[in-house]
Each structure stands twice: as structure tokens, then as C-alpha cells.
């Protein structure tokens, strides 16, 4: 067991025979659908992302929350709705991400919901901009049983950091990282895994060696370099890195830009998980930030009827027949992690 990573150990402890069987059903239905070119789906999601809130304290330029540009309703997830959903799916659900848009720690009951999921032995993750990691919140975070905490730190100096994290304070984020590391030590806990996420953009790409050193000095478990999604990338952007390895986009001979990846008519995400907005809208994935492809809505419908319903099945068939014809797929890199 000691040879396995901490994260692998955490996930293995969440598995049950029901969850393993469910994952096998998902894998089989996915590859069977690819083989036949027609959607077939057995089982329930392995992972789901749920949105605690759309509110955010920052104004990041490529984020609908930061730009305050949503056309869908904004608000906070109701804990009663969340608990009812968990009660419906927890037997099959292995992992839950408490993030879509917004800053999760703004929700006053966020950590209570994490604890509820943890009580149902679900692997839990969240992503934060790090401005709310006070000593008190960090103690509560460790006590909630959160398994993985991703903290965005997109610069090693305030001047560079604030070019993307507009109105953000680097010193406050660094202090928050120290607080969570200290809270883990105080409570003698290995959880949560502290992951520093560095969104690589043109202004900060020269600081990669510095963020590597800073991650080590702060005592975080891991550093993740993430490529940036640019909405209007065709004519270029001052955020697209110069180093190709850190960019999702490539420059064409005519000076325009295109997405690097090939548009294969398949998508594992459509079979293994989904995203649920704060008000119960079920959407395909995290690229549908404005919930344009609503596949169902809870609590008017129960989740299982949505997951196996005609609208969802139709969308999966669209993926298999022409993924490059779906707008949210055109800027998708199937992950974007380096």
C-alpha cells in the first residue's frame, strides 16, 4: 500500500463492489457505443461535478463568474437539494467535485456538504482561488474529510499574479496554503491533498521554475500546470503562451489560431460523469459553463431518469456522429492538463 500514491490510496478506500461493478458497466457501454457508433449506456456516473455557487470574489478575464457574464440564473446550491441527490446516487458514485463556476468557500454550508458526501464514503474534491483559507476554515476543511484541495496560484509575484487573477492578493493565497498545511499537521491528517494549480498564460510562463520551487517550500503535495481555455482564440490572445507545450492552441500559416487536438467522434466524459448546476440543471461537462445544453433538471426529474433519458441519449449520439458540430466541443481539449 505504501508504494501507491496517497491519492490512489484515498480512492481505493472509497471503492465498494457496487461501485466497481458500476465502473465496469460504464467502461463496457462506452467502448460498445464507440464500436457500433450508437449510444448505449449502462450504469450510473462514476464522477459528478456539482456547483456550490456562481459567486466569486475575483474577476478573471476568461471566467463567466469573473466576468459576471452568465445568462443562466445565478445563486447558491441548497443543502437539502444536495442531500437528496446524494441519497439517490451514493451507492454507485465514486467521486464528487464541488466546483463548476464560482468560489466554493463563499457558500456558507459548503464544508457541511463535503462532510455529508464524506459520510457516504464518496471521494471529494474542490478548487479554490485560496482567498478564504483562514486558519478556522482550514481546520473545518480538514475535519470535513475533503480528499483533494486544488488551490489556484497563477504567479509568484503580485504583479504577474494579478494580471489574470484580477483583484486577487498573492500574499493572501500563500498564507492560505500555509494555513491548510498547518491544519493538517495540527490534526495529524493526510487529507486533503494540497494541489497547487498554475494556469499557464503568456504573462506567467517564465515563472514555472519559480512556482515549482515555491510549491516545494510551502509543503504542498503536488503542482499541476494547467493549460488555459481561451474563448475568443481565433485571432490570438495576449494570454496564449509562447511556448507551444503550454498552449491548447496552434498558430496557422494565415496567422489565425486553432485548437491543437483532433475532433474524434467520442468523449469518455459523456459516459462517466456530468455537471450539475446550483439550481439542478444537468449539463454534459465543464465546458458548458452557461448550461446551454440542459439535459434535464432536478428536482422536477430524478437524476436516474435524466441520465438514461432520451435527451441525454440524443446528445451522446451527436458526439458519436459529429463532435465537431457541437459548439462547446470546439474548444475542448479533453482535460488540458500537462
Amino acid at each position: 500500500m505504501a508504494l501507491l500514491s496517497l491519492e490512489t490510496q484515498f480512492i481505493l478506500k472509497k471503492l465498494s463492489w457496487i461501485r466497481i461493478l458500476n465502473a465496469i458497466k460504464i467502461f463496457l457501454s462506452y467502448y460498445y457505443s464507440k464500436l457500433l457508433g450508437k449510444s448505449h449506456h449502462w450504469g450510473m456516473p462514476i464522477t459528478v461535478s456539482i456547483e456550490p455557487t456562481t459567486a466569486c470574489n475575483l474577476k478573471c478575464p476568461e471566467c463567466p463568474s469573473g466576468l459576471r457574464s452568465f445568462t443562466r440564473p445565478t445563486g447558491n446550491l441548497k443543502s437539502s437539494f444536495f442531500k437528496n441527490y446524494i441519497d439517490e446516487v451514493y451507492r454507485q458514485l465514486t467521486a464528487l467535485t464541488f466546483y463548476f463556476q464560482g468560489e466554493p468557500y463563499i457558500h456558507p454550508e459548503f464544508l457541511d456538504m463535503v462532510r455529508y458526501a464524506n459520510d457516504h464514503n464518496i471521494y471529494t474534491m474542490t478548487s479554490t482561488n485560496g482567498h478564504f483559507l483562514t486558519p478556522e476554515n482550514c481546520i473545518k476543511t480538514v475535519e470535513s474529510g475533503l480528499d483533494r484541495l486544488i488551490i489556484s496560484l497563477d504567479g509568484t509575484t503580485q504583479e504577474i499574479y494579478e494580471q489574470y487573477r484580477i483583484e486577487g492578493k498573492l500574499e493572501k493565497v500563500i498564507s492560505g496554503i500555509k494555513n491548510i498545511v498547518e491544519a493538517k499537521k495540527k490534526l495529524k491528517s493526510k487529507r486533503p491533498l494540497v494541489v497547487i494549480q498554475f494556469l499557464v498564460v503568456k504573462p506567467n510562463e517564465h515563472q514555472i521554475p519559480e512556482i515549482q520551487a515555491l510549491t516545494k517550500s510551502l509543503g504542498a503535495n503536488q503542482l499541476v500546470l494547467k493549460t488555459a481555455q481561451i474563448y475568443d482564440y481565433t485571432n490570438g490572445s495576449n494570454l496564449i503562451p509562447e511556448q507551444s507545450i503550454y498552449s491548447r492552441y496552434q498558430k496557422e500559416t494565415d496567422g489565425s489560431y486553432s485548437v491543437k487536438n483532433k475532433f474524434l467522434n467520442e468523449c469518455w466524459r459523456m459516459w462517466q460523469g456530468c455537471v450539475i448546476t446550483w439550481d439542478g440543471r444537468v449539463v454534459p461537462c465543464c465546458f458548458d459553463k452557461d448550461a446551454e445544453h440542459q439535459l434535464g433538471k432536478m428536482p422536477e426529474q430524478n437524476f436516474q431518469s435524466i441520465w438514461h433519458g432520451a435527451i441525454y441519449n440524443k446528445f451522446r449520439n451527436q458526439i458519436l456522429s459529429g463532435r465537431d458540430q457541437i459548439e462547446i466541443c470546439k474548444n475542448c481539449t479533453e482535460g488540458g492538463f500537462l
Side-chain angles (χ1 to χ4, degrees):
M1 197 71 167
L3 295 175
L4 300 175
S5 69
L6 273 178
E7 184 168 32
T8 301
Q9 292 177 42
F10 292 170
I11 293 173
L12 288 176
K13 289 179 180 178
K14 305 292 182 178
L15 295 180
S16 65
W17 286 113
I18 292 176
R19 288 175 180 169
I20 293 170
L21 178 60
N22 180 65
I24 292 171
K25 288 180 179 178
I26 296 296
F27 274 102
L28 291 176
S29 61
Y30 174 61
Y31 286 103
Y32 186 63
S33 297
K34 283 176 58 178
L35 180 65
L36 297 185
K38 184 176 181 181
S39 174
H40 295 270
H41 203 286
W42 314 302
M44 294 287 282
I46 299 171
T47 65
V48 165
S49 295
I50 196 161
E51 181 178 61
T53 181
T54 51
C56 190
N57 55 308
L58 303 185
K59 296 181 179 178
C60 304
E62 292 294 323
C63 173
S65 290
L67 296 170
R68 280 57 168 176
S69 63
F70 289 118
T71 60
R72 64 180 171 95
T74 58
N76 287 347
L77 177 68
K78 290 183 179 179
S79 61
S80 57
F81 165 75
F82 171 76
K83 290 178 180 179
N84 287 337
Y85 171 70
I86 294 299
D87 291 345
E88 181 185 352
V89 303
Y90 78 91
R91 291 173 182 83
Q92 292 88 10
L93 186 65
T94 300
L96 185 64
T97 299
F98 284 91
Y99 178 72
F100 180 29
Q101 297 299 294
E103 167 53 50
Y105 278 88
I106 288 177
H107 194 300
E109 297 176 280
F110 164 57
L111 292 174
D112 293 330
M113 290 187 285
V114 173
R115 184 187 293 271
Y116 192 79
N118 183 56
D119 288 345
H120 287 74
N121 203 36
I122 298 170
Y123 182 87
T124 52
M125 303 168 276
T126 197
S127 181
T128 176
N129 60 45
H131 284 72
F132 297 90
L133 296 177
T134 62
E136 181 184 10
N137 273 347
C138 287
I139 292 291
K140 290 180 179 178
T141 297
V142 176
E143 291 176 337
S144 74
L146 183 73
D147 291 292
R148 182 179 176 90
L149 177 63
I150 300 170
I151 304 169
S152 295
L153 185 59
D154 307 322
T156 58
T157 61
Q158 177 63 30
E159 179 186 5
I160 297 299
Y161 173 78
E162 67 185 358
Q163 289 190 44
Y164 187 81
R165 299 289 168 181
I166 297 173
E167 299 188 6
K169 303 297 180 185
L170 176 64
E171 184 179 347
K172 198 165 188 178
V173 181
I174 291 176
S175 176
I177 296 170
K178 292 178 180 178
N179 288 340
I180 191 66
V181 171
E182 182 59 32
K184 287 172 62 178
K185 290 179 181 177
K186 185 175 182 179
L187 296 176
K188 298 179 181 179
S189 175
K190 294 180 180 179
R191 290 183 173 86
L193 293 172
V194 178
V195 180
I196 292 178
Q197 180 174 278
F198 189 82
L199 186 70
V200 184
V201 288
K202 188 173 183 178
N204 71 10
E205 62 181 316
H206 67 284
Q207 292 188 335
I208 290 174
E210 295 171 29
I211 194 66
Q212 291 169 335
L214 182 59
T215 298
K216 187 175 181 179
S217 69
L218 290 172
N221 294 96
Q222 183 184 2
L223 170 66
V224 171
L225 303 179
K226 186 181 180 184
T227 60
Q229 178 188 9
I230 309 298
Y231 285 99
D232 188 12
Y233 60 83
T234 307
N235 296 317
S237 165
N238 58 8
L239 293 175
I240 296 177
E242 291 184 358
Q243 299 177 69
S244 177
I245 188 175
Y246 300 125
S247 177
R248 299 186 185 191
Y249 311 97
Q250 60 189 6
K251 194 171 185 178
E252 303 296 343
T253 54
D254 63 359
S256 66
Y257 284 78
S258 63
V259 177
K260 284 181 179 178
N261 68 299
K262 297 178 180 179
F263 289 107
L264 302 177
N265 292 332
E266 57 187 60
C267 183
W268 166 242
R269 292 186 185 189
M270 295 304 102
W271 271 257
Q272 70 88 24
C274 67
V275 172
I276 301 172
T277 65
W278 70 271
D279 59 345
R281 299 163 191 255
V282 178
V283 298
C285 70
C286 61
F287 279 81
D288 193 7
K289 293 176 172 59
D290 215 16
E292 295 176 2
H293 298 274
Q294 184 175 314
L295 305 171
K297 191 171 188 300
M298 299 181 289
E300 289 89 335
Q301 304 164 269
N302 66 49
F303 181 78
Q304 186 168 357
S305 68
I306 296 170
W307 183 247
H308 290 293
I311 297 175
Y312 221 133
N313 193 52
K314 181 180 178 181
F315 190 84
R316 292 190 185 104
N317 276 319
Q318 282 183 283
I319 292 288
L320 294 171
S321 61
R323 180 168 162 249
D324 60 347
Q325 301 303 306
I326 302 172
E327 194 60 37
I328 62 169
C329 297
K330 292 180 180 179
N331 199 2
C332 174
T333 55
E334 265 297 284
F337 289 93
L338 300 167

